[in-house]
């Protein structure tokens, strides 16, 4: 064979190999979207004319026999009247250069309000998730992984009940209610009757200044007096103070005028003190009880808030455990895909598999295998977090037991009305009740301050019966106070008022400022609850749309993996082309894993968004704290 012909065949084979490699690398992206560099353009200008496939390159100005030169399509130039120059390798057709690129058309297209409305309307359309679709990992995620010899199956309702019974956090919160309820008992104790007993012995020895002190020839007056008194006193709800007391005593004196000697005396006393202005009335005197009850209700509402937040944390922890279990399954399948590629390459190592492909597959297997250890650790950490929040003996008795959520998250959209949700929140949220109780407290304190501004005017009444016997006969003296004694009594008014009353006026100003502050806080709370509920409602809708978008992306990623996998197995290619196809397949599998994990995360986020909506409306759980049913005060 002629050397010239051999050189031409070698050149044709070289061009075919280069064209095949370029086609393999740029199969998905047209080459004209990437403009050639200056150096490449210079090389292209020196390249031979493009001929048909398997045609020899043109060496001279005349084409060889049997070879037709490929001409550039399009109308001829009207200026020169000659044929257009032949199209060289790498040159771009004029119609390609005149086309508008996608980036330019998108960036220069203005967004009109109508286009925005159409976009938002399309976003509000039905979910793209197919009817009856369930992720493939749901069945396995709710089954034992045999991470430990024993396992415990849990669901949301059972965890809530166990949390209410055994959680340390909820127990501590309920103790706050019990502590607050003791204030009611202490305030009501002011009206309990009080028993009192008093005894006293007094000996007097004083010099006499006249015969009238003790009689004639008595230089010192010596007296001995022993008294014993006891009785009951009580404060009434009207503000009055009532006291009844019995006094008995022995008395002796050196005075000549003291008769009879060695006296025994007895006195029964009744006293009554009723405020008429300052401190009068049931409302004023029961204000401490009312304030204590309001403080207990405030503590109860705060406990309800804390309990619902804790239950929401339990829900989040349970769904996080499910997510970690699903993530482990996804990564195991991800690893098995890499192992399948590696095994397939090992079997074809003697045929068309390259050593570089095998090493790349080994690296992918090692990388994906390392991710599994972290996934198992995440499951164990989620289980411990759930045990800590629930503190159920069933969960804590064996801390190595595998915890399995029995129910997968939902995919169905539950329609929610914003107006109904806001009304429910205003009626059910404990924060609203808490601020309302604080407003009541401020009103009560303002009424007390206004009463303290009044002057003090008290009605004082007292009466007593007495008896007296000699020879220390206390018993007969006690009988005489009822039989032969006559009542003694007194009545009067006591008035007292600070001249400037600055303390009382300052107290009223303070209570009024507190009331205005709480009124502003109530308005702020209403606005805050409205914003929280609106955000929660939108989050439910948004998370479900995000779930649908993740579903579309996941399905597309799965289809892309299947296309790349079939192409790689059927057309493995040679050299760089084979490595590029393998790299594309591994990257496609990585993207599929990311989309599936994203779908699982979106599924959890949507389920949690419904729980957070219930928390925002105050209907996560209707709670009566444990302390509210005990320690009843009459």
């Amino acid at each position: 064979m002629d050397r010239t012909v051999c050189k031409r065949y070698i050149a044709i084979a070289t061009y075919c190999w280069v064209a095949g490699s370029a086609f393999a690398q740029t199969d998905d992206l047209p080459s004209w979207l990437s403009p050639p560099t200056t150096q490449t353009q210079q090389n292209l200008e020196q390249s031979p004319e493009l001929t048909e496939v398997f045609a020899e390159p043109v060496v001279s100005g005349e084409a060889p026999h049997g070879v037709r030169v490929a001409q550039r399509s399009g109308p001829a130039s009207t200026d020169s009247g000659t044929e257009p120059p032949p199209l060289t390798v790498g040159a771009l057709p004029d119609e390609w250069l005149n086309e508008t690129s996608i980036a330019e058309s998108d960036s220069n297209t203005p967004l009109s309000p109508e286009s925005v409305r159409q976009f938002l309307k399309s976003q509000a359309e039905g979910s793209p998730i197919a009817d009856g679709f369930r992720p493939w990992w749901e069945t396995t995620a709710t089954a034992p992984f045999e991470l430990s010899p024993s396992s415990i199956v849990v669901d949301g309702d059972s965890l809530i009940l166990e949390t209410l019974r055994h959680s340390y956090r909820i127990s501590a919160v309920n103790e706050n209610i019990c502590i607050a309820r003791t204030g009611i008992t202490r305030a009501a104790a002011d009206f309990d009757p009080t028993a009192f007993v008093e005894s006293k012995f007094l000996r007097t020895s004083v010099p006499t200044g006249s015969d009238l002190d003790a009689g004639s020839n008595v230089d010192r007056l010596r007296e001995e007096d022993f008294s014993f008194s006891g009785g009951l006193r009580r404060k009434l709800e009207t503000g009055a103070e009532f006291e009844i007391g019995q006094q008995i005593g022995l008395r002796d004196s050196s005075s000549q005028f003291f008769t009879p000697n060695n006296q025994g005396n007895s006195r029964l006393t009744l006293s009554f003190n009723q405020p008429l202005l300052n401190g009068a009335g049931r409302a004023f005197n029961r204000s401490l009880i009312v304030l204590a009850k309001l403080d207990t209700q405030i503590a109860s509402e705060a406990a309800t808030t804390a309990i619902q937040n804790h239950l929401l944390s339990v829900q989040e922890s349970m769904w996080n455990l499910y997510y970690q279990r699903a993530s482990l399954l996804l990564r195991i399948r991800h690893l098995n895909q890499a192992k399948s590629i590696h095994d397939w390459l090992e079997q074809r190592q003697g045929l068309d598999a390259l050593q570089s492909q095998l090493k790349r597959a080994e690296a992918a297997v090692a990388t994906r295998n390392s991710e599994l250890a972290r996934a198992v650790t995440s499951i164990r950490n989620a289980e411990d977090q759930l045990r800590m929040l629930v503190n159920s003996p069933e969960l804590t008795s064996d801390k190595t037991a595998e915890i399995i959520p029995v129910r997968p998250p939902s995919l169905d959209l539950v329609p929610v009305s914003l107006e109904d949700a806001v009304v429910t929140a205003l009626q059910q949220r404990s924060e609203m009740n808490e601020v309302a109780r604080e407003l009541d407290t401020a009103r009560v304190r303002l009424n007390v301050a206004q009463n303290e501004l009044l002057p003090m005017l008290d009605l004082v009444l007292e009466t007593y019966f007495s008896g007296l016997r000699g020879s220390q006969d206390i018993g007969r003296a006690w009988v005489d106070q009822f039989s032969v004694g006559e009542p003694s009594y007194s009545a009067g008014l006591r008035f007292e008022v600070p001249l400037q009353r600055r303390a009382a006026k300052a107290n009223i100003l303070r209570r009024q400022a507190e009331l205005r502050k709480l009124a502003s806080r109530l308005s702020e709370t209403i606005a805050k609850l409205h914003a929280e509920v609106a955000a929660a409602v939108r989050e439910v809708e948004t998370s479900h749309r995000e779930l649908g978008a993740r579903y579309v992306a996941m399905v597309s990623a799965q289809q892309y993996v299947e296309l790349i996998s079939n192409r790689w197995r059927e057309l493995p290619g040679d050299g760089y082309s084979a490595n590029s196809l393998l790299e594309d397949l591994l990257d496609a599998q990585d993207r599929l894993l990311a989309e599936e994990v994203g779908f699982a995360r979106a599924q959890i986020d949507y389920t949690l968004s419904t729980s957070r909506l219930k928390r925002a409306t105050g209907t996560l759980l209707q709670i009566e704290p444990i302390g509210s049913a005990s320690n009843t005060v009459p």
Side-chain angles (χ1 to χ4, degrees):
M1 182 182 294
D2 190 352
R3 293 184 62 182
T4 303
V5 177
C6 291
K7 289 180 180 181
R8 291 179 178 177
Y9 280 115
I10 292 174
I12 292 173
T14 302
Y15 284 135
C16 292
W17 182 83
V18 171
S21 299
F23 176 79
Q25 298 178 37
T26 60
D27 182 73
D28 298 327
L29 184 64
S31 60
W32 62 83
L33 293 180
S34 300
T37 60
T38 305
Q39 183 66 28
T40 305
Q41 187 65 32
Q42 293 176 357
N43 296 336
L44 291 176
E45 291 176 358
Q46 298 176 2
S47 61
E49 296 180 355
L50 179 65
T51 59
E52 291 184 348
V53 181
F54 302 115
E56 297 179 355
V58 178
V59 179
S60 60
E62 186 174 348
H65 178 71
V67 176
R68 180 175 58 86
V69 177
Q71 301 294 332
R72 183 171 56 184
S73 60
S77 177
T78 57
D79 296 337
S80 59
T82 60
E83 292 294 330
L87 180 65
T88 58
V89 176
L92 302 179
D94 293 338
E95 59 271 20
W96 293 355
L97 295 175
N98 294 331
E99 289 182 354
T100 304
S101 65
I102 297 176
E104 292 178 353
S105 60
D106 288 345
S107 61
N108 296 329
T109 302
L111 289 177
S112 62
E114 181 62 27
S115 61
V116 174
R117 286 192 293 269
Q118 292 295 331
F119 172 77
L120 296 178
K121 182 179 178 180
S122 64
Q123 292 293 311
E125 293 178 353
S127 173
I129 302 177
D131 295 338
F133 169 78
R134 304 302 304 180
W136 62 266
W137 57 82
E138 276 191 356
T139 304
T140 310
T142 54
F145 289 171
E146 297 185 359
L147 299 177
S148 62
S150 59
S151 61
I152 301 174
V153 178
V154 297
D155 61 2
D157 296 337
S158 64
L159 286 178
I160 288 177
L161 293 177
E162 292 298 313
T163 303
L164 293 175
R165 293 171 182 168
H166 306 289
S167 172
Y168 291 136
R169 173 63 177 167
I170 294 180
S171 298
V173 167
N174 285 323
E175 293 301 327
N176 292 334
I177 304 177
C178 295
I179 293 172
R181 290 187 66 85
T182 59
I184 303 177
T185 306
R186 294 179 60 186
D190 290 342
F191 303 105
D192 293 345
T194 302
F196 64 91
V197 176
E198 183 181 358
S199 64
K200 185 178 181 181
F201 176 77
L202 177 63
R203 184 181 186 278
T204 304
S205 177
V206 296
T208 58
S210 67
D211 293 342
L212 297 177
D213 292 336
S216 60
N217 299 323
V218 179
D219 56 350
R220 297 189 70 86
L221 176 62
R222 296 178 178 88
E223 292 183 342
E224 293 180 354
D225 189 1
F226 173 77
S227 63
F228 178 87
S229 61
L232 294 174
R233 79 170 56 93
R234 181 183 180 184
K235 181 180 179 180
L236 304 180
E237 292 184 356
T238 60
E241 294 182 0
F242 175 80
E243 181 178 325
I244 179 172
Q246 176 68 59
Q247 179 182 352
I248 58 176
L250 298 174
R251 187 177 182 185
D252 193 14
S253 176
S254 61
S255 174
Q256 296 176 357
F257 307 111
F258 186 77
T259 58
N261 294 326
N262 299 323
Q263 295 177 0
N265 55 72
S266 174
R267 173 179 288 190
L268 178 62
T269 305
L270 299 175
S271 64
F272 182 78
N273 187 359
Q274 173 64 58
L276 300 179
L277 294 179
N278 190 338
R282 291 174 55 89
F284 176 84
N285 291 277
R286 287 183 56 86
S287 61
L288 293 180
I289 299 178
V290 175
L291 290 175
K293 290 182 178 180
L294 290 174
D295 289 342
T296 303
Q297 293 176 358
I298 291 173
S300 178
E301 298 298 342
T304 301
T305 301
I307 291 174
Q308 291 203 13
N309 290 335
H310 187 75
L311 294 180
L312 181 59
S313 299
V314 172
Q315 295 264 326
E316 293 174 348
S317 180
M318 183 193 69
W319 290 121
N320 179 57
L321 175 59
Y322 175 87
Y323 168 73
Q324 298 298 338
R325 292 172 65 86
S327 179
L328 175 63
L329 296 177
L330 292 171
R331 298 184 187 281
I332 290 176
R333 194 190 71 164
H334 192 49
L335 173 62
N336 291 336
Q337 290 174 342
K339 287 182 177 180
S340 176
I341 294 175
H342 180 269
D343 296 341
W344 191 82
L345 289 173
E346 275 192 335
Q347 295 175 2
R348 301 182 63 88
Q349 192 171 5
L351 298 175
D352 55 357
L354 302 178
Q355 188 68 20
S356 59
Q357 293 178 311
L358 189 62
K359 293 300 180 182
R360 178 64 185 90
E362 290 178 357
V365 170
T367 301
R368 298 178 183 182
N369 195 19
S370 64
E371 297 175 354
L372 291 181
R374 178 61 60 184
V376 175
T377 301
S378 299
I379 292 177
R380 286 306 190 184
N381 293 340
E383 291 176 345
D384 291 340
Q385 179 71 13
L386 188 60
R387 286 190 181 94
M388 184 271 295
L389 294 174
V390 178
N391 193 44
S392 170
E394 183 181 1
L395 298 179
T396 57
S397 59
D398 184 7
K399 295 187 177 181
T400 63
E402 180 183 4
I403 302 177
I404 307 171
V406 70
R407 188 178 304 165
S410 175
L411 295 175
D412 299 330
L413 175 62
V414 179
V416 181
S417 172
L418 177 59
E419 292 76 10
D420 294 342
V422 171
V423 172
T424 303
L426 294 178
Q427 294 175 348
Q428 301 293 334
R429 281 290 290 266
S430 55
E431 290 88 343
M432 286 292 300
N433 297 330
E434 183 177 352
V435 177
R437 300 296 177 267
E438 291 181 357
L439 274 171
D440 294 339
T441 301
R443 294 189 186 98
V444 172
R445 288 175 177 169
L446 178 60
N447 294 333
V448 172
Q450 291 174 347
N451 184 275
E452 291 175 348
L453 186 62
L454 300 175
M456 181 181 295
L457 179 62
D458 296 347
L459 174 64
V460 180
L461 302 174
E462 185 177 357
T463 183
Y464 62 89
F465 302 87
S466 61
L468 178 64
R469 284 284 181 165
S471 303
Q472 299 180 349
D473 191 354
I474 299 177
R476 293 294 300 272
W478 184 81
V479 173
D480 288 347
Q481 72 181 0
F482 296 105
S483 60
V484 301
E486 295 180 356
S488 303
Y489 55 86
S490 65
L493 295 174
R494 183 172 57 191
F495 180 80
E496 180 181 340
V497 58
L499 295 181
Q500 294 180 334
R501 294 182 287 183
R502 292 190 298 173
K505 293 178 181 178
N507 197 20
I508 288 180
L509 293 177
R510 178 178 180 177
R511 299 310 181 189
Q512 290 175 345
E514 290 177 352
L515 189 60
R516 292 193 301 268
K517 174 184 174 181
L518 289 173
S520 299
R521 183 180 167 189
L522 178 62
S523 301
E524 179 188 5
T525 302
I526 294 175
K528 181 179 179 181
L529 292 185
H530 189 282
E532 288 182 2
V533 172
V537 171
R538 287 191 291 266
E539 183 62 27
V540 171
E541 299 172 351
T542 303
S543 59
H544 194 269
R545 288 199 298 268
E546 183 180 3
L547 180 63
R550 287 289 185 180
Y551 169 79
V552 174
M554 181 181 65
V555 172
S556 299
Q558 176 64 42
Q559 296 173 351
Y560 183 73
V561 167
E562 294 175 357
L563 292 175
I564 295 296
S565 179
N566 294 333
R567 177 181 175 185
W568 177 74
R569 291 181 182 275
E570 296 175 2
L571 301 173
D574 295 324
Y576 179 81
S577 175
N579 290 333
S580 178
L581 285 175
L582 177 60
E583 193 70 29
D584 289 344
L585 178 58
L586 295 176
D587 291 343
Q589 292 178 354
D590 292 340
R591 288 192 295 271
L592 176 60
L593 173 65
E595 295 299 338
E596 288 179 332
V597 170
F599 179 82
R601 181 74 264 177
Q603 192 178 10
I604 298 300
D605 290 341
Y606 169 67
T607 303
L608 287 178
S609 68
T610 58
S611 299
R612 294 189 180 103
L613 176 60
K614 293 179 180 179
R615 173 64 189 92
T617 56
T619 58
L620 180 61
L621 187 66
Q622 298 297 323
I623 302 172
E624 180 181 356
I626 297 175
S628 62
S630 60
N631 299 332
T632 303
V633 177

